[in-house]
Amino acid sequence: MAEEMTTFLLRLPSRLKTQLEQRAKQENRSLNSLLITLIERELQPSKPAASLEHRQFLGKVVASRQIDPGNGLAQVDGIYYRYLIEGNAGFQAKKDYIIIEANGNILTLRPVEL
């Protein structure tokens, strides 16, 4: 069962936001995923890592043939997940995608730039 999510406004210096965005990009993750991980580590250092999907899938490349835009599913390691594409971009059949966030049964994908 997925945990209920919430949102809030966070103000921080532009330089910190830039540094966080750079780190997230280096780790092939979304900024949201990076922040959740950093906050969880700080608040609960002894807590085990996040979900299987979060631990195993971040940074994994998904070939376009594994994505079915008709039903909104992507197959990863034999399991079908719902997916979103970063920035609400449309699916491009000639591109592969990298998983940048896993939240419950929803993966966030970013097109792989060659």
Side-chain angles (χ1 to χ4, degrees):
M1 183 163 134
E3 190 172 344
E4 184 178 340
M5 301 298 277
T6 186
T7 61
F8 70 97
L9 176 65
L10 173 66
R11 292 188 312 232
L12 66 155
S14 295
R15 68 175 172 75
L16 288 179
K17 181 178 183 263
T18 300
Q19 288 175 322
L20 288 166
E21 289 170 336
Q22 289 171 347
R23 181 167 172 188
K25 187 167 184 153
Q26 288 170 346
E27 295 181 15
N28 290 316
R29 303 172 71 165
S30 68
L31 181 55
N32 187 70
S33 172
L34 175 66
L35 288 171
I36 288 172
T37 299
L38 293 173
I39 292 168
E40 284 179 339
R41 283 184 195 154
E42 182 62 29
L43 295 177
Q44 300 173 347
S46 63
K47 181 181 176 185
S51 70
L52 167 74
E53 289 81 7
H54 196 266
R55 290 189 319 268
Q56 299 293 323
F57 292 172
L58 291 186
K60 182 173 264 203
V61 174
V62 180
S64 61
R65 69 181 180 283
Q66 295 172 263
I67 299 172
D68 183 347
N71 63 20
L73 297 176
Q75 183 184 25
V76 181
D77 291 348
I79 303 171
Y80 287 93
Y81 294 88
R82 298 211 173 278
Y83 71 89
L84 303 169
I85 298 176
E86 182 181 44
N88 291 322
F91 174 73
Q92 298 177 42
K94 295 185 180 188
K95 289 200 173 216
D96 291 337
Y97 292 83
I98 193 161
I99 300 171
I100 60 170
E101 187 170 356
N103 186 1
N105 69 338
I106 302 172
L107 305 177
T108 303
L109 308 176
R110 175 185 291 154
V112 173
E113 301 299 328
L114 300 176

